[in-house]
Amino acid sequence: MYTVRVRKLIEQILKFGIVGIIAFLIDWGILNLLVGVFHMHNVIAATISFLISLVFNYFASMKYVFRHRPDMARWMEMAIFLFSAVVGLFINMVIIWLSTYGMNKDAYISQHAMYLLRTNIGKLISAVVVAIWNFIIRKWLLDDTHTNAMNRLRRGDHILSEEELEAKWERSFSHRLGMWSIEHTPKGWK
């Protein structure tokens, strides 16, 4: 039973990784096109590429990685995803900006090759940091298996019973947030 639960968690992490790799390739490709070909400033280019890849990431993550929680309204799922994306975008912008900090103000033109290289190094670092942030926040607030996830990592006699899991879930922030979202969903919204 323990190995089946751990296997499901590993499977979810792998799916998250595949979606993340595809989103990264979209992000990285557009970033390099904008900076490398069009000589755009890296922070502006990174913002555009991040937002485009975010659209793919949202739909793919909600379809293939995380399951809808019946105790949370869809609008709240979108709000949480948007919140995590805004924080991720901020992290992305700061790391990209730091990657070329200290270069000439016109480095994207005058020192193009070095600027592009440093931008790509910053993008790789940013991708890892943002991926970790996104998985943690989305697993905590969006996934319907959150309560059982921590139980899966426990061994033997430390595993919680179904009643204990249910009580823990009822007290959790994510469940209370989800129930609040359902109670405060405007009429006509699903």
Side-chain angles (χ1 to χ4, degrees):
M1 181 114 171
Y2 175 75
T3 56
V4 171
R5 290 178 177 173
V6 171
R7 186 171 41 90
K8 286 183 178 185
L9 181 60
I10 291 170
E11 184 179 302
Q12 184 181 35
I13 291 170
L14 289 174
K15 287 179 183 177
F16 182 81
I18 291 168
V19 167
I21 288 169
I22 295 169
F24 170 76
L25 291 173
I26 292 167
D27 189 355
W28 183 75
I30 294 170
L31 173 67
N32 277 281
L33 177 71
L34 296 175
V35 174
V37 176
F38 296 106
H39 300 275
M40 189 178 282
H41 189 277
N42 65 350
V43 174
I44 295 168
T47 301
I48 293 167
S49 65
F50 185 92
L51 292 173
I52 292 170
S53 72
L54 181 67
V55 173
F56 164 79
N57 194 314
Y58 173 74
F59 289 109
S61 288
M62 295 313 291
K63 181 168 179 133
Y64 299 110
V65 181
F66 300 108
R67 292 187 292 176
H68 171 67
R69 290 189 13 212
D71 69 333
M72 183 173 283
R74 293 272 184 194
W75 68 267
M76 181 57 78
E77 284 180 348
M78 286 186 222
I80 290 168
F81 194 91
L82 182 62
F83 167 75
S84 74
V86 167
V87 172
L89 176 60
F90 178 75
I91 292 168
N92 184 62
M93 289 170 42
V94 168
I95 293 172
I96 294 290
W97 177 76
L98 286 172
S99 73
T100 56
Y101 181 76
M103 294 183 80
N104 297 334
K105 290 196 184 294
D106 69 341
Y108 57 97
I109 295 170
S110 65
Q111 298 172 296
H112 185 68
M114 181 55 72
Y115 188 82
L116 186 59
L117 175 65
R118 288 174 65 171
T119 296
N120 277 292
I121 291 169
K123 183 63 197 171
L124 290 173
I125 294 167
S126 167
V128 171
V129 173
V130 171
I132 292 167
W133 157 256
N134 282 337
F135 187 80
I136 290 169
I137 197 73
R138 291 176 193 167
K139 182 71 178 166
W140 177 45
L141 293 176
L142 290 179
D143 192 27
D144 74 343
T145 61
H146 171 70
T147 302
N148 291 321
M150 293 310 290
N151 206 31
R152 290 179 193 150
L153 301 176
R154 297 172 182 252
R155 294 194 183 269
D157 60 337
H158 292 87
I159 293 178
L160 301 175
S161 69
E162 289 299 320
E163 296 80 28
E164 291 169 320
L165 276 174
E166 186 64 31
K168 187 173 182 177
W169 175 245
E170 299 266 330
R171 292 187 311 268
S172 73
F173 174 76
S174 57
H175 175 70
R176 289 183 309 199
L177 179 65
M179 294 308 293
W180 179 89
S181 71
I182 288 174
E183 293 165 5
H184 292 85
T185 297
K187 292 193 185 311
W189 286 24
K190 288 191 175 192

